Amino acid sequence: MPNVLINLYSDTVTKPTPGMREAIARAEVGDDMSGEDPTVNRLEALMAEKLGKEAAVFACSGTQSNQMGVKVHCIPGDELLIESSGHIACFEGGGPAVLSGTMCRQIPGTNGMLDIADLNGKIKADNQHLCITRLLCLENTTNVGGGRAWPLDQLERVCGWAHENGLKTHLDGARFFNACVAKGYSAADVGKHFDTVSICFSKGLGCPMGSILVGSKDDIRKARRARKLFGGALRQAGIVAAAAVYAMEHNVERLSVDHDNAKLLAAEIAQIEGLSINVADVETNLVFFEVDPKLGNAGQLSAALLDRGVKIGPSGPQRLRACTHLDVTREDMLKTADVLRQTIKAGFSQYKGSTTGPYARA
Ligand SMILES: Cc1ncc(COP(=O)(O)O)c(C=O)c1O
């Protein structure tokens, strides 16, 4: 395995800090499946309160809590609406179809976000030939959409439209607090527009695992059944919930450092010939950029960077994603830019890389 010196592959690569490990070691635990783990209970109460909701349920992963959300709202034969690049539709193994018998209707938007003009006319008529449009899923921040944080007025407008038209709303908040910090809105400002919100602790917040689903008491009761069914009801889960409580106390405000580092890296990339980026598009911790096809493809560049100790993944035939997080520094951004410069200067077309990108076989 190459020696990775700077890992910008994802914010999921963070390792628990000494303070977080101490919190984990000190955690009071009990049998969570019976509601008896005091640390999980504390975390669930904290998150419900932060989002202005009645209840919350701890989950193993973002995929699990999203799919619990879909299961709460949908039954077989239903359809959910989602932006084309939405994680729930694209990267959860077909979960809505497999676990809830629900189809995803993917709607092209802008930067992973939708507006009323995109959604108008997309709710199916009550007609025996058609499935039932039940749920709208949004993502904040967007991932493949470019790490963009939704403007609050747009969220309000789109969720208002959904509720007026009888849809439920679910938010995939894998990077929920990145959005809050970037836009300056509170968790409750966002939470009030959604029936359920999933938040990940294992990304920018630096935990080893864990997500949470928040919503009404009734929806969270249903979500607990789904979690059990999906094999995610745990026992002494306080061990990991303690990390999440710690992260809520120590790792939220500091996300602005990751955003500053991402902007610095974007500004450096903008000056490198052969790479292109719109610096103004970088709002949070995800930096997407393109490599000129005359030089090679994204997979080749990614492989060449890895050889020099920098891990940045391809996210399309010519597109790459660098992701900042609490285990990388401002200096790492400058070093990464240097390595990019050297790699492009040396040439990288000799490396193996797919011309169709990481998500297509042909
Ligand atoms: C937007 C988004 N939603 C959901 C997930 C799923 O999280 P997990 O990997 O914990 O299942 C991810 C993971 O990267 C993500 O980026």
Side-chain angles (χ1 to χ4, degrees):
M1 266 223 323
N3 191 13
V4 180
L5 304 174
I6 302 174
N7 196 342
L8 302 174
Y9 187 77
S10 175
D11 44 10
T12 57
V13 302
T14 53
K15 309 240 167 75
T17 56
M20 184 177 281
R21 284 174 190 269
E22 227 174 85
I24 291 170
R26 277 200 319 266
E28 273 186 79
V29 296
D31 188 343
D32 179 44
M33 217 183 288
S34 314
E36 290 168 4
D37 187 301
T39 311
V40 173
N41 293 345
R42 196 171 138 217
L43 175 68
E44 290 175 346
L46 171 74
M47 298 311 291
E49 197 209 318
K50 268 202 184 301
L51 274 94
K53 297 286 181 210
E54 289 174 349
V57 55
F58 188 60
C60 299
S61 68
T63 299
Q64 187 176 76
S65 61
N66 276 334
Q67 295 303 325
M68 285 155 55
V70 172
K71 186 103 183 143
V72 161
H73 302 300
C74 298
I75 57 169
D78 282 352
E79 158 189 83
L80 62 83
L81 305 181
I82 188 164
E83 204 276 337
S84 293
S85 64
H87 198 277
I88 290 173
C90 299
F91 301 111
E92 299 191 2
V98 176
L99 302 168
S100 302
T102 292
M103 300 194 290
C104 293
R105 182 162 183 194
Q106 293 170 258
I107 300 168
T110 306
N111 300 324
M113 297 178 277
L114 294 167
D115 216 328
I116 309 252
D118 307 310
L119 287 160
N120 256 332
K122 299 296 191 301
I123 299 180
K124 289 195 163 63
D126 185 5
N127 176 316
Q128 63 179 334
H129 296 93
L130 308 173
C131 61
I132 295 172
T133 313
R134 188 83 66 180
L135 175 67
L136 173 68
C137 293
L138 306 180
E139 198 171 291
N140 196 21
T141 63
T142 63
N143 177 351
V144 174
R148 305 304 290 264
W150 280 69
L152 202 53
D153 59 339
Q154 190 175 343
L155 268 184
E156 187 174 355
R157 191 163 60 240
V158 168
C159 292
W161 173 91
H163 287 137
E164 276 160 29
N165 288 291
L167 301 189
K168 297 289 182 180
T169 55
H170 170 80
L171 179 67
D172 175 356
R175 297 179 179 82
F176 182 88
F177 288 103
N178 292 86
C180 293
V181 167
K183 288 292 193 206
Y185 41 58
S186 74
D189 287 340
V190 178
K192 71 175 180 213
H193 299 297
F194 292 92
D195 295 293
T196 47
V197 178
S198 164
I199 296 174
C200 291
F201 299 113
S202 60
K203 302 201 167 67
L205 297 179
C207 297
M209 63 174 284
S211 288
I212 201 147
L213 187 75
V214 295
S216 69
K217 263 193 196 146
D218 195 41
D219 282 348
I220 297 306
R221 183 184 54 77
K222 291 180 193 153
R224 278 186 198 282
R225 292 191 71 87
R227 181 180 71 162
K228 175 70 182 166
L229 185 65
F230 300 165
L234 301 173
R235 300 298 182 178
Q236 284 71 36
I239 293 286
V240 273
V245 172
Y246 179 91
M248 290 307 299
E249 287 163 2
H250 297 88
N251 292 349
V252 174
E253 291 312 318
R254 66 148 307 285
L255 290 169
S256 63
V257 175
D258 300 343
H259 301 171
D260 290 345
N261 286 340
K263 286 174 192 154
L264 172 63
L265 180 61
E268 291 286 322
I269 288 173
Q271 292 171 39
I272 301 176
E273 211 175 314
L275 300 182
S276 52
I277 187 167
N278 185 355
V279 177
D281 285 347
V282 178
E283 261 190 292
T284 60
N285 69 327
L286 304 181
V287 181
F288 286 90
F289 59 99
E290 305 261 335
V291 58
D292 186 338
K294 286 201 232 58
L295 303 180
N297 62 47
Q300 290 170 320
L301 179 55
S302 172
L305 291 171
L306 193 55
D307 239 5
R308 290 175 156 85
V310 173
K311 192 166 180 184
I312 295 178
S315 82
Q318 299 303 134
R319 194 179 191 221
L320 294 100
R321 186 189 81 166
C323 185
T324 61
H325 50 76
L326 60 84
D327 286 354
V328 291
T329 62
R330 185 183 158 81
E331 285 66 45
D332 290 332
M333 300 302 106
L334 300 174
K335 280 189 210 153
T336 297
D338 276 344
V339 170
L340 275 163
R341 267 185 222 101
Q342 288 162 23
T343 309
I344 287 179
K345 194 164 169 223
F348 54 87
S349 58
Q350 70 276 25
Y351 285 86
K352 248 176 93 167
S354 162
T355 51
T356 49
Y359 305 123
R361 189 157 49 83

